[in-house]
Amino acid sequence: MKKIFSLFSYLKANSLYTTKTDIWSLGITAIEIAQGEPPLSNKKPMFAMEIIKKNPSPVLDKPHKWSRDFNDFIAKCLIKSSPDQTTRSASTRTS
């Protein structure tokens, strides 16, 4: 039986949980529903988290099989931004 890693528990315990976490999770769930398994499911959980931090956001393996709207929805759910980037972006707009 495959061990289940609870990313939610990790994030909650480390005060990293925000509504962005739910949106990210929705995007990953959409990929899982479309493909039958989540991205990086063949990797150990902690290794998968490192890959996610260092690499571009996951995408569908065969995006051409899905509508542009579905691909865009996933891309929007899986936008990576740190609080620092958000602050920089907001200050740039007001300057």
Coordinates of all heavy atoms in Angstrom, one line a residue:
M1 N 0.8 -1.2 0.0 CA 0.0 0.0 0.0 C 0.9 1.2 0.0 O 1.8 1.3 0.8 CB -0.9 0.0 1.2 CG -1.8 1.1 1.3 SD -2.9 0.9 2.7 CE -4.2 2.0 2.3
K2 N 0.6 2.2 -0.9 CA 1.3 3.4 -1.0 C 1.1 4.3 0.2 O 0.0 4.5 0.7 CB 0.9 4.1 -2.2 CG 1.8 5.0 -2.9 CD 1.2 5.5 -4.2 CE 2.3 6.2 -5.0 NZ 1.7 6.7 -6.2
K3 N 2.2 4.9 0.8 CA 2.0 5.8 1.9 C 1.5 7.1 1.4 O 1.9 7.6 0.3 CB 3.4 6.1 2.6 CG 3.9 4.9 3.4 CD 5.1 5.4 4.2 CE 5.5 4.3 5.1 NZ 6.7 4.6 5.8
I4 N 0.6 7.7 2.1 CA 0.0 9.0 1.7 C 0.7 10.1 2.5 O 0.7 10.0 3.8 CB -1.5 9.0 1.9 CG1 -2.1 7.9 1.0 CG2 -2.0 10.4 1.7 CD1 -3.6 7.8 1.3
F5 N 1.2 11.1 1.9 CA 1.9 12.2 2.5 C 0.9 13.4 2.5 O 0.4 13.7 1.5 CB 3.2 12.6 1.7 CG 3.8 13.8 2.2 CD1 4.5 13.8 3.4 CD2 3.7 15.0 1.5 CE1 5.2 14.9 3.9 CE2 4.4 16.1 2.0 CZ 5.1 16.1 3.2
S6 N 0.7 13.9 3.7 CA -0.2 15.0 3.8 C 0.5 16.4 3.7 O 1.0 16.8 4.7 CB -1.0 14.9 5.0 OG -1.9 16.1 5.2
L7 N 0.5 16.9 2.5 CA 1.2 18.2 2.3 C 0.4 19.3 3.2 O 1.0 20.1 3.8 CB 1.2 18.6 0.9 CG 1.8 20.0 0.5 CD1 3.3 20.0 1.0 CD2 1.7 20.2 -1.0
F8 N -0.9 19.1 3.2 CA -1.7 20.1 4.0 C -1.2 20.1 5.5 O -1.0 21.1 6.1 CB -3.2 19.7 4.0 CG -4.0 20.5 4.9 CD1 -4.4 21.8 4.6 CD2 -4.4 19.9 6.1 CE1 -5.2 22.5 5.5 CE2 -5.2 20.7 7.0 CZ -5.6 22.0 6.7
S9 N -1.0 18.9 6.1 CA -0.6 18.8 7.5 C 0.8 19.5 7.7 O 1.0 20.2 8.6 CB -0.5 17.3 7.9 OG -1.7 16.7 7.9
Y10 N 1.7 19.3 6.7 CA 3.0 19.9 6.8 C 2.9 21.4 6.7 O 3.5 22.1 7.5 CB 3.9 19.4 5.6 CG 5.2 20.1 5.5 CD1 6.3 19.8 6.3 CD2 5.4 21.2 4.6 CE1 7.5 20.5 6.3 CE2 6.5 21.9 4.5 CZ 7.6 21.5 5.4 OH 8.8 22.2 5.3
L11 N 2.1 21.9 5.8 CA 2.0 23.3 5.6 C 1.3 24.0 6.8 O 1.7 25.0 7.3 CB 1.2 23.7 4.3 CG 1.8 23.3 3.0 CD1 0.9 23.5 1.9 CD2 3.1 24.1 2.8
K12 N 0.2 23.3 7.3 CA -0.5 23.9 8.4 C 0.4 23.9 9.7 O 0.4 24.9 10.4 CB -1.7 23.0 8.7 CG -2.7 23.5 9.7 CD -3.5 24.6 9.1 CE -4.6 25.0 10.0 NZ -5.3 26.2 9.7
A13 N 1.2 22.9 9.9 CA 2.1 22.8 11.1 C 3.2 23.9 11.0 O 3.7 24.3 12.0 CB 2.7 21.4 11.2
N14 N 3.5 24.2 9.8 CA 4.6 25.2 9.6 C 4.1 26.6 9.2 O 4.8 27.4 8.7 CB 5.6 24.7 8.5 CG 6.4 23.5 9.0 OD1 7.2 23.6 9.9 ND2 6.1 22.3 8.5
S15 N 2.8 26.8 9.5 CA 2.2 28.1 9.2 C 2.4 28.6 7.8 O 2.5 29.8 7.5 CB 2.7 29.2 10.2 OG 2.4 28.8 11.5
L16 N 2.4 27.7 6.8 CA 2.5 28.1 5.4 C 1.2 28.0 4.7 O 1.2 28.2 3.5 CB 3.6 27.1 4.8 CG 5.0 27.2 5.4 CD1 5.9 26.1 4.8 CD2 5.6 28.6 5.2
Y17 N 0.1 27.6 5.4 CA -1.1 27.4 4.7 C -1.9 28.7 4.5 O -2.0 29.5 5.4 CB -2.0 26.5 5.6 CG -3.3 26.2 4.9 CD1 -3.5 25.2 4.0 CD2 -4.4 27.0 5.2 CE1 -4.7 25.0 3.4 CE2 -5.7 26.7 4.6 CZ -5.8 25.7 3.7 OH -7.0 25.5 3.1
T18 N -2.3 29.0 3.3 CA -3.1 30.2 2.9 C -4.1 29.7 1.9 O -4.1 28.6 1.5 CB -2.2 31.3 2.3 OG1 -1.7 30.8 1.0 CG2 -1.0 31.7 3.2
T19 N -4.9 30.7 1.5 CA -5.9 30.3 0.5 C -5.2 30.0 -0.9 O -5.7 29.2 -1.7 CB -6.9 31.5 0.2 OG1 -6.2 32.7 -0.1 CG2 -7.8 31.7 1.4
K20 N -4.0 30.5 -1.1 CA -3.2 30.1 -2.3 C -2.9 28.6 -2.2 O -2.8 28.0 -3.3 CB -1.9 30.9 -2.3 CG -2.1 32.4 -2.7 CD -0.8 33.1 -2.8 CE -1.1 34.6 -3.1 NZ 0.2 35.3 -3.3
T21 N -2.8 28.0 -1.0 CA -2.6 26.6 -0.9 C -3.8 25.8 -1.5 O -3.6 24.8 -2.2 CB -2.3 26.2 0.6 OG1 -1.3 27.1 1.1 CG2 -1.9 24.8 0.7
D22 N -5.0 26.3 -1.2 CA -6.2 25.7 -1.7 C -6.2 25.8 -3.2 O -6.6 24.8 -3.9 CB -7.4 26.3 -1.1 CG -7.7 25.9 0.3 OD1 -7.2 24.8 0.7 OD2 -8.3 26.7 1.1
I23 N -5.9 26.9 -3.7 CA -5.9 27.1 -5.2 C -4.9 26.2 -5.9 O -5.2 25.6 -6.9 CB -5.7 28.6 -5.5 CG1 -6.9 29.4 -5.0 CG2 -5.5 28.8 -7.0 CD1 -6.7 30.9 -5.0
W24 N -3.7 26.1 -5.3 CA -2.7 25.3 -5.9 C -3.2 23.8 -5.8 O -3.1 23.1 -6.8 CB -1.4 25.4 -5.0 CG -0.3 24.5 -5.5 CD1 -0.1 23.2 -5.1 CD2 0.7 24.8 -6.5 NE1 1.0 22.6 -5.8 CE2 1.5 23.6 -6.6 CE3 1.0 25.9 -7.2 CZ2 2.6 23.5 -7.5 CZ3 2.1 25.8 -8.1 CH2 2.9 24.6 -8.2
S25 N -3.8 23.4 -4.7 CA -4.3 22.1 -4.6 C -5.4 21.8 -5.6 O -5.4 20.7 -6.2 CB -4.8 21.9 -3.2 OG -5.2 20.6 -3.0
L26 N -6.2 22.7 -5.9 CA -7.2 22.6 -6.9 C -6.6 22.3 -8.3 O -7.1 21.4 -9.0 CB -8.1 23.8 -7.0 CG -9.2 23.8 -8.0 CD1 -10.2 22.7 -7.8 CD2 -9.9 25.2 -8.0
G27 N -5.6 23.0 -8.6 CA -4.9 22.8 -9.9 C -4.2 21.4 -10.0 O -4.3 20.7 -11.0
I28 N -3.6 21.0 -8.9 CA -3.0 19.7 -8.9 C -4.1 18.6 -9.0 O -3.9 17.6 -9.7 CB -2.2 19.5 -7.6 CG1 -1.0 20.4 -7.6 CG2 -1.7 18.0 -7.4 CD1 0.0 20.3 -8.7
T29 N -5.2 18.8 -8.3 CA -6.3 17.9 -8.4 C -6.9 17.8 -9.8 O -7.2 16.7 -10.3 CB -7.4 18.3 -7.4 OG1 -6.9 18.3 -6.0 CG2 -8.6 17.3 -7.4
A30 N -7.0 18.9 -10.5 CA -7.5 18.9 -11.9 C -6.5 18.1 -12.7 O -7.0 17.3 -13.6 CB -7.5 20.4 -12.4
I31 N -5.2 18.2 -12.6 CA -4.3 17.4 -13.3 C -4.5 15.9 -13.0 O -4.5 15.0 -13.8 CB -2.8 17.8 -13.0 CG1 -2.6 19.2 -13.7 CG2 -1.8 16.8 -13.6 CD1 -1.2 19.8 -13.3
E32 N -4.7 15.6 -11.7 CA -4.9 14.2 -11.2 C -6.1 13.6 -11.9 O -6.1 12.5 -12.3 CB -4.9 14.2 -9.7 CG -5.1 12.8 -9.2 CD -5.1 12.7 -7.7 OE1 -4.9 13.7 -7.0 OE2 -5.1 11.6 -7.2
I33 N -7.2 14.4 -11.9 CA -8.4 13.9 -12.5 C -8.3 13.6 -14.0 O -8.7 12.6 -14.5 CB -9.6 14.9 -12.2 CG1 -10.0 14.9 -10.7 CG2 -10.8 14.5 -13.1 CD1 -10.9 16.0 -10.3
A34 N -7.6 14.5 -14.6 CA -7.4 14.4 -16.1 C -6.4 13.2 -16.4 O -6.6 12.5 -17.4 CB -6.8 15.7 -16.7
Q35 N -5.4 13.0 -15.6 CA -4.4 12.1 -16.0 C -4.4 10.8 -15.2 O -3.7 9.8 -15.5 CB -3.0 12.7 -15.8 CG -2.8 13.9 -16.7 CD -1.4 14.5 -16.6 OE1 -1.1 15.3 -17.5 NE2 -0.6 14.3 -15.6
G36 N -5.2 10.7 -14.1 CA -5.3 9.5 -13.3 C -4.3 9.5 -12.1 O -4.4 8.6 -11.3
E37 N -3.4 10.4 -12.1 CA -2.5 10.5 -10.9 C -1.9 11.9 -10.9 O -1.8 12.6 -11.9 CB -1.4 9.5 -11.0 CG -0.5 9.5 -12.2 CD 0.5 8.4 -12.3 OE1 0.2 7.3 -11.7 OE2 1.5 8.5 -12.9
P38 N -1.5 12.4 -9.7 CA -1.0 13.7 -9.6 C 0.4 13.8 -10.2 O 1.1 12.8 -10.3 CB -1.0 14.0 -8.1 CG -0.9 12.7 -7.5 CD -1.6 11.7 -8.4
P39 N 0.9 15.0 -10.5 CA 2.3 15.2 -11.0 C 3.2 14.7 -9.9 O 3.0 14.8 -8.7 CB 2.4 16.7 -11.1 CG 1.0 17.2 -11.2 CD 0.2 16.3 -10.4
L40 N 4.3 14.1 -10.3 CA 5.4 13.7 -9.4 C 5.0 12.6 -8.5 O 5.7 12.4 -7.4 CB 6.0 14.9 -8.7 CG 6.5 16.0 -9.6 CD1 6.9 17.2 -8.7 CD2 7.7 15.6 -10.4
S41 N 3.9 11.9 -8.8 CA 3.5 10.8 -7.8 C 4.5 9.7 -7.8 O 4.4 8.8 -6.8 CB 2.1 10.3 -8.3 OG 2.1 9.7 -9.5
N42 N 5.4 9.6 -8.7 CA 6.4 8.5 -8.7 C 7.6 8.9 -7.9 O 8.6 8.2 -7.8 CB 6.8 8.2 -10.1 CG 7.4 9.4 -10.9 OD1 7.1 10.6 -10.5 ND2 8.2 9.1 -11.8
K43 N 7.6 10.1 -7.3 CA 8.7 10.6 -6.5 C 8.4 10.5 -5.0 O 7.2 10.6 -4.6 CB 9.1 12.0 -6.8 CG 9.3 12.3 -8.3 CD 10.6 11.7 -8.7 CE 10.9 12.1 -10.1 NZ 11.7 11.2 -10.9
K44 N 9.4 10.5 -4.1 CA 9.2 10.5 -2.7 C 8.7 11.9 -2.4 O 9.1 12.9 -3.0 CB 10.4 10.2 -1.9 CG 10.8 8.8 -2.1 CD 12.0 8.4 -1.2 CE 12.4 6.9 -1.4 NZ 13.3 6.5 -0.5
P45 N 7.8 12.1 -1.4 CA 7.1 13.4 -1.1 C 8.1 14.5 -0.9 O 7.9 15.6 -1.5 CB 6.3 13.1 0.1 CG 6.0 11.6 0.0 CD 7.2 11.0 -0.6
M46 N 9.1 14.4 -0.1 CA 10.0 15.5 0.2 C 10.8 15.8 -1.1 O 11.1 17.0 -1.3 CB 10.9 15.2 1.4 CG 10.2 15.0 2.7 SD 9.0 16.4 3.1 CE 10.2 17.6 3.6
F47 N 11.2 14.9 -1.9 CA 11.9 15.1 -3.1 C 11.0 15.8 -4.1 O 11.4 16.8 -4.8 CB 12.4 13.8 -3.7 CG 13.2 14.0 -4.9 CD1 14.4 14.7 -4.9 CD2 12.8 13.5 -6.1 CE1 15.2 14.8 -6.0 CE2 13.6 13.6 -7.3 CZ 14.8 14.3 -7.2
A48 N 9.7 15.4 -4.1 CA 8.7 16.1 -5.0 C 8.6 17.6 -4.6 O 8.5 18.4 -5.5 CB 7.4 15.4 -4.9
M49 N 8.5 17.8 -3.3 CA 8.4 19.2 -2.9 C 9.6 20.1 -3.3 O 9.5 21.2 -3.7 CB 8.3 19.3 -1.4 CG 6.9 18.9 -0.9 SD 6.6 18.8 0.8 CE 7.3 20.3 1.4
E50 N 10.8 19.5 -3.3 CA 12.0 20.2 -3.8 C 11.9 20.5 -5.3 O 12.3 21.5 -5.8 CB 13.3 19.4 -3.5 CG 13.6 19.5 -2.0 CD 13.9 20.9 -1.5 OE1 14.6 21.7 -2.2 OE2 13.3 21.2 -0.4
I51 N 11.5 19.5 -6.0 CA 11.3 19.6 -7.5 C 10.3 20.8 -7.8 O 10.5 21.6 -8.6 CB 10.8 18.3 -8.1 CG1 11.9 17.3 -8.0 CG2 10.4 18.5 -9.6 CD1 11.5 15.9 -8.5
I52 N 9.2 20.8 -7.0 CA 8.2 21.8 -7.2 C 8.7 23.2 -7.0 O 8.4 24.1 -7.7 CB 6.9 21.5 -6.4 CG1 6.2 20.3 -6.9 CG2 6.0 22.7 -6.3 CD1 5.1 19.7 -6.0
K53 N 9.5 23.3 -5.9 CA 10.1 24.6 -5.6 C 11.0 25.1 -6.6 O 11.1 26.3 -6.9 CB 10.8 24.5 -4.2 CG 9.9 24.5 -3.0 CD 10.6 24.6 -1.7 CE 12.0 24.3 -1.5 NZ 12.5 24.2 -0.2
K54 N 11.8 24.2 -7.2 CA 12.9 24.6 -8.1 C 12.5 24.7 -9.6 O 13.2 25.3 -10.4 CB 14.1 23.6 -8.0 CG 14.8 23.7 -6.6 CD 15.9 22.8 -6.5 CE 16.5 22.9 -5.1 NZ 17.5 21.9 -4.8
N55 N 11.5 24.0 -10.0 CA 11.1 23.9 -11.4 C 9.8 24.6 -11.7 O 9.1 25.0 -10.8 CB 10.9 22.4 -11.8 CG 12.2 21.6 -11.7 OD1 13.3 22.1 -12.1 ND2 12.1 20.4 -11.3
P56 N 9.5 24.8 -13.0 CA 8.3 25.5 -13.3 C 7.1 24.6 -12.8 O 7.2 23.4 -12.5 CB 8.3 25.4 -14.9 CG 9.7 25.3 -15.2 CD 10.4 24.5 -14.1
S57 N 6.0 25.3 -12.7 CA 4.7 24.6 -12.2 C 4.4 23.4 -13.1 O 4.7 23.4 -14.3 CB 3.6 25.6 -12.2 OG 3.8 26.6 -11.3
P58 N 3.8 22.4 -12.5 CA 3.3 21.2 -13.4 C 2.3 21.6 -14.4 O 1.6 22.6 -14.2 CB 2.7 20.3 -12.3 CG 3.2 20.7 -11.0 CD 3.5 22.2 -11.1
V59 N 2.3 20.9 -15.5 CA 1.3 21.1 -16.5 C 0.8 19.7 -16.9 O 1.3 18.7 -16.5 CB 1.9 21.8 -17.8 CG1 2.3 23.2 -17.5 CG2 3.1 21.0 -18.3
L60 N -0.3 19.6 -17.7 CA -0.8 18.4 -18.3 C 0.3 17.7 -19.2 O 1.0 18.4 -19.9 CB -2.1 18.6 -19.0 CG -3.3 19.0 -18.2 CD1 -4.3 19.6 -19.1 CD2 -3.8 17.8 -17.4
D61 N 0.4 16.4 -19.1 CA 1.4 15.7 -19.9 C 1.0 15.8 -21.4 O 1.9 15.9 -22.3 CB 1.4 14.2 -19.6 CG 2.0 13.9 -18.3 OD1 2.8 14.7 -17.8 OD2 1.7 12.8 -17.7
K62 N -0.2 15.9 -21.7 CA -0.7 16.0 -23.1 C -1.7 17.1 -23.2 O -2.9 16.9 -23.4 CB -1.3 14.7 -23.6 CG -0.3 13.5 -23.6 CD -0.9 12.2 -24.1 CE 0.2 11.1 -24.0 NZ -0.4 9.8 -24.3
P63 N -1.2 18.4 -23.1 CA -2.2 19.5 -23.1 C -3.1 19.6 -24.3 O -4.2 20.1 -24.2 CB -1.2 20.7 -23.0 CG 0.1 20.3 -23.4 CD 0.2 18.8 -23.1
H64 N -2.6 19.1 -25.5 CA -3.4 19.2 -26.7 C -4.7 18.3 -26.6 O -5.6 18.6 -27.4 CB -2.6 18.7 -27.9 CG -2.1 17.3 -27.8 ND1 -1.0 17.0 -27.1 CD2 -2.6 16.1 -28.3 CE1 -0.8 15.6 -27.1 NE2 -1.8 15.1 -27.8
K65 N -4.8 17.4 -25.7 CA -6.0 16.6 -25.5 C -7.1 17.3 -24.8 O -8.2 16.8 -24.7 CB -5.6 15.3 -24.7 CG -4.8 14.3 -25.5 CD -4.4 13.1 -24.7 CE -5.7 12.3 -24.5 NZ -5.4 11.0 -23.8
W66 N -6.7 18.5 -24.2 CA -7.7 19.2 -23.4 C -7.9 20.6 -23.9 O -7.1 21.1 -24.7 CB -7.1 19.3 -21.9 CG -6.8 18.0 -21.4 CD1 -5.6 17.3 -21.4 CD2 -7.7 17.1 -20.8 NE1 -5.7 16.1 -20.8 CE2 -7.0 15.9 -20.5 CE3 -9.1 17.1 -20.6 CZ2 -7.6 14.8 -19.9 CZ3 -9.7 16.0 -20.0 CH2 -9.0 14.9 -19.7
S67 N -9.0 21.2 -23.5 CA -9.4 22.5 -24.1 C -8.4 23.6 -23.6 O -7.7 23.4 -22.5 CB -10.8 22.9 -23.6 OG -10.8 23.2 -22.2
R68 N -8.3 24.7 -24.3 CA -7.5 25.8 -23.9 C -7.9 26.3 -22.6 O -7.1 26.7 -21.7 CB -7.6 26.9 -25.0 CG -6.7 28.1 -24.6 CD -6.8 29.2 -25.6 NE -6.1 28.7 -26.8 CZ -5.7 29.5 -27.8 NH1 -6.0 30.8 -27.8 NH2 -5.1 29.0 -28.8
D69 N -9.3 26.4 -22.3 CA -9.8 26.9 -21.1 C -9.3 26.0 -19.9 O -8.9 26.5 -18.8 CB -11.3 26.9 -21.1 CG -11.9 28.0 -21.9 OD1 -11.1 29.0 -22.2 OD2 -13.1 28.0 -22.3
F70 N -9.3 24.7 -20.1 CA -8.9 23.8 -19.0 C -7.4 24.0 -18.8 O -6.9 24.1 -17.6 CB -9.2 22.3 -19.4 CG -8.9 21.4 -18.3 CD1 -9.5 21.5 -17.0 CD2 -8.1 20.3 -18.5 CE1 -9.3 20.6 -16.0 CE2 -7.9 19.4 -17.4 CZ -8.5 19.5 -16.2
N71 N -6.6 24.1 -19.8 CA -5.1 24.3 -19.7 C -4.9 25.7 -19.0 O -4.0 25.8 -18.1 CB -4.4 24.3 -21.0 CG -4.2 22.9 -21.5 OD1 -3.3 22.2 -21.0 ND2 -5.0 22.4 -22.4
D72 N -5.6 26.7 -19.3 CA -5.5 28.0 -18.7 C -5.9 28.0 -17.2 O -5.3 28.6 -16.4 CB -6.3 29.1 -19.5 CG -5.8 29.4 -20.8 OD1 -4.6 29.1 -21.1 OD2 -6.5 30.1 -21.6
F73 N -7.0 27.3 -17.0 CA -7.4 27.1 -15.6 C -6.3 26.5 -14.7 O -6.0 27.1 -13.6 CB -8.7 26.3 -15.5 CG -9.1 25.9 -14.1 CD1 -9.8 26.9 -13.3 CD2 -8.8 24.7 -13.6 CE1 -10.2 26.6 -12.1 CE2 -9.2 24.4 -12.3 CZ -9.9 25.3 -11.5
I74 N -5.7 25.4 -15.2 CA -4.7 24.8 -14.4 C -3.5 25.7 -14.3 O -2.9 25.9 -13.2 CB -4.2 23.5 -15.1 CG1 -5.4 22.4 -14.9 CG2 -2.9 22.9 -14.5 CD1 -5.2 21.2 -15.7
A75 N -3.1 26.4 -15.3 CA -2.0 27.3 -15.3 C -2.2 28.5 -14.3 O -1.3 28.8 -13.5 CB -1.7 27.9 -16.7
K76 N -3.4 29.0 -14.2 CA -3.7 30.0 -13.3 C -3.8 29.5 -11.8 O -3.4 30.2 -10.9 CB -5.1 30.7 -13.6 CG -4.9 31.6 -14.9 CD -6.2 32.2 -15.3 CE -6.0 33.0 -16.6 NZ -7.2 33.4 -17.2
C77 N -4.2 28.3 -11.6 CA -4.2 27.7 -10.3 C -2.7 27.5 -9.8 O -2.5 27.6 -8.6 CB -4.9 26.4 -10.2 SG -6.7 26.5 -10.4
L78 N -1.8 27.2 -10.7 CA -0.5 26.8 -10.3 C 0.5 27.9 -10.5 O 1.7 27.7 -10.6 CB -0.1 25.6 -11.1 CG -1.0 24.3 -10.9 CD1 -0.5 23.2 -11.7 CD2 -1.1 24.0 -9.4
I79 N 0.1 29.2 -10.5 CA 1.0 30.3 -10.5 C 1.8 30.3 -9.2 O 1.2 30.3 -8.1 CB 0.3 31.6 -10.7 CG1 -0.3 31.7 -12.1 CG2 1.2 32.8 -10.5 CD1 -1.2 32.9 -12.4
K80 N 3.1 30.4 -9.3 CA 4.0 30.5 -8.2 C 4.3 32.0 -7.9 O 4.7 32.7 -8.8 CB 5.3 29.8 -8.4 CG 5.2 28.3 -8.5 CD 6.6 27.7 -8.7 CE 6.6 26.2 -8.9 NZ 7.9 25.7 -9.0
S81 N 4.1 32.4 -6.7 CA 4.6 33.8 -6.3 C 4.8 33.8 -4.9 O 4.1 33.2 -4.1 CB 3.5 34.8 -6.7 OG 2.3 34.6 -6.0
S82 N 5.9 34.4 -4.5 CA 6.3 34.5 -3.1 C 5.7 35.8 -2.6 O 5.4 36.7 -3.4 CB 7.8 34.5 -2.9 OG 8.3 35.7 -3.5
P83 N 5.6 36.0 -1.3 CA 5.1 37.3 -0.8 C 6.0 38.4 -1.2 O 5.5 39.5 -1.5 CB 5.1 37.1 0.7 CG 5.1 35.6 0.9 CD 5.7 35.0 -0.3
D84 N 7.3 38.2 -1.3 CA 8.2 39.2 -1.8 C 7.9 39.6 -3.2 O 7.9 40.8 -3.5 CB 9.6 38.6 -1.7 CG 10.7 39.7 -2.0 OD1 10.6 40.8 -1.5 OD2 11.6 39.4 -2.9
Q85 N 7.6 38.7 -4.1 CA 7.3 39.0 -5.5 C 6.0 39.8 -5.5 O 5.8 40.8 -6.3 CB 7.1 37.8 -6.3 CG 8.4 37.1 -6.6 CD 8.1 35.7 -7.2 OE1 7.1 35.0 -6.8 NE2 8.9 35.3 -8.1
T86 N 5.0 39.5 -4.7 CA 3.7 40.2 -4.6 C 3.9 41.6 -4.2 O 3.4 42.6 -4.8 CB 2.7 39.5 -3.7 OG1 2.6 38.2 -4.1 CG2 1.4 40.2 -3.7
T87 N 4.8 41.8 -3.2 CA 5.1 43.2 -2.7 C 5.8 44.0 -3.7 O 5.4 45.1 -4.0 CB 5.9 43.1 -1.4 OG1 5.3 42.3 -0.4 CG2 6.2 44.4 -0.8
R88 N 6.8 43.4 -4.4 CA 7.5 44.1 -5.5 C 6.5 44.5 -6.6 O 6.6 45.6 -7.1 CB 8.6 43.2 -6.0 CG 10.0 43.7 -5.6 CD 11.1 42.9 -6.2 NE 11.2 41.6 -5.5 CZ 11.4 40.5 -6.1 NH1 11.5 40.4 -7.3 NH2 11.4 39.4 -5.3
S89 N 5.7 43.6 -7.0 CA 4.7 43.8 -8.1 C 3.8 45.0 -7.7 O 3.5 45.8 -8.5 CB 3.9 42.5 -8.4 OG 3.0 42.8 -9.3
A90 N 3.3 45.0 -6.5 CA 2.3 46.0 -6.0 C 3.0 47.4 -6.0 O 2.5 48.4 -6.4 CB 1.8 45.6 -4.7
S91 N 4.3 47.4 -5.5 CA 5.0 48.7 -5.4 C 5.3 49.2 -6.8 O 5.4 50.4 -7.0 CB 6.2 48.5 -4.5 OG 7.2 47.7 -5.1
T92 N 5.6 48.3 -7.7 CA 5.9 48.8 -9.1 C 4.6 49.4 -9.7 O 4.8 50.4 -10.4 CB 6.3 47.6 -9.9 OG1 7.4 46.9 -9.3 CG2 6.7 48.0 -11.3
R93 N 3.5 48.9 -9.5 CA 2.3 49.5 -10.0 C 1.9 50.8 -9.5 O 1.4 51.7 -10.1 CB 1.1 48.5 -9.8 CG 1.0 47.3 -10.7 CD -0.3 46.6 -10.6 NE -0.6 46.2 -9.2 CZ -0.5 45.0 -8.7 NH1 -0.1 44.0 -9.5 NH2 -0.8 44.7 -7.5
T94 N 2.3 51.1 -8.2 CA 1.9 52.4 -7.6 C 3.0 53.4 -7.8 O 2.8 54.6 -7.6 CB 1.7 52.2 -6.1 OG1 2.9 51.7 -5.5 CG2 0.6 51.3 -5.8
S95 N 4.1 53.0 -8.4 CA 5.2 54.0 -8.6 C 4.9 54.8 -9.8 O 4.4 54.5 -10.8 CB 6.5 53.3 -8.8 OG 6.8 52.6 -7.6

